Amino acid sequence: MGFPVEALVMAGGDRSGGEYRPTKPLAGRPMVAYVVQALQGCRAVKRLAVAGSKEELDGILPPEVLLVSSGENLIATLENALAEYSPREWLLVATADAPLITTQAVEDFLGRCEPLLSRYNFFYSVVREETYQTFCPGSRRTYARLREASLTGGNLFLVRPEIAIPACRRGQEIMRLRKSPLRMARLIGPWFLLRFLLRRLPLAEAEERFSALLGLKGITVSVPYPEVAFDLDHPEDFALAEKLLAERNRATSSQR
């Protein structure tokens, strides 16, 4: 890998039902451990932190991984982590509820970003609908149905740390409008919204519009690894993750 990155795992999590999700066991290991392992195996990652509950994660993470405070939501957690972690290189962010991510998938994403580093300061992983459905047929996912392709969001993004907090704050303002369709339409633009609903919106225009709203220069990066988009939103996701991770662990053990 030709450029260094610092990595951050977002492990804020809620305590619905009294359970802290990032430490939920899957195939004998805490969920967050799989994501940490995938990032630690990546040659480009020079430093790694996890933003989460210090009480819950104490003793679970490898000693070389920095544990920083989480916040009340995803954006607040990122803000807190950036302030405490103080990254200087490109920042690679992953979510703790994506345990199927592999080192190979991470390196593929970074390799696709590398030729574009001088032109953009934010890279967001996406997976094509047909790729994801082949991996996980009939699964429930949210797709952005654009003119060129139907895409679902991944659990990896790459950002320059100096623009991350201002963009997060703008993103927080946009999130506050999500329950007001009229105000959201005014912000995004009714013609833009109409073309999106009709599947006539070009991907490049969507990238440009949201870059302007967030005050950054961003681009989506389509990856061929459906595991990048797999996260644990539904009960059936846990069962599938348990099965696939158990198979992966057995395959690794047999190769030793």
Side-chain angles (χ1 to χ4, degrees), residues 64-218:
E64 65 274 15
V65 176
L66 178 66
L67 180 56
V68 299
S69 303
S70 60
E72 61 183 12
N73 55 44
L74 188 68
I75 293 174
T77 295
L78 183 56
E79 287 185 314
N80 291 351
L82 286 170
E84 196 171 336
Y85 187 27
S86 301
R88 296 172 297 277
E89 308 288 356
W90 282 91
L91 181 66
L92 174 66
V93 180
T95 59
D97 66 341
L100 298 185
I101 284 179
T102 62
T103 296
Q104 186 177 11
V106 174
E107 292 190 336
D108 177 85
F109 172 64
L110 293 176
R112 293 171 189 274
C113 296
E114 187 171 7
L116 304 171
L117 295 180
S118 63
R119 296 171 54 192
Y120 300 95
N121 54 22
F122 178 79
F123 299 84
Y124 180 49
S125 63
V126 295
V127 174
R128 296 176 71 95
E129 180 176 6
E130 58 269 27
T131 300
Y132 192 82
Q133 287 298 322
T134 299
F135 169 71
C136 198
S139 63
R140 289 183 280 173
R141 290 291 301 179
T142 299
Y143 295 96
R145 303 187 188 281
L146 301 165
R147 190 170 68 185
E148 303 93 337
S150 181
L151 305 170
T152 189
N155 294 292
L156 292 172
F157 67 85
L158 183 70
V159 64
R160 288 300 309 173
E162 61 270 17
I163 63 98
I165 288 179
C168 280
R169 289 174 179 157
R170 293 187 184 97
Q172 204 161 30
E173 290 301 316
I174 294 171
M175 285 182 68
R176 290 194 185 105
L177 297 179
R178 71 187 186 279
K179 294 184 179 179
S180 175
L182 181 59
R183 294 178 67 190
M184 181 65 83
R186 286 175 179 167
L187 177 68
I188 297 176
W191 179 238
F192 178 97
L193 188 59
L194 177 62
R195 286 186 298 150
F196 173 74
L197 293 173
L198 295 174
R199 299 190 64 175
R200 294 179 181 174
L201 184 69
L203 175 59
E205 188 174 337
E207 292 169 340
E208 184 178 342
R209 182 62 177 146
F210 283 100
S211 291
L213 288 172
L214 294 174
L216 47 77
K217 185 64 175 175

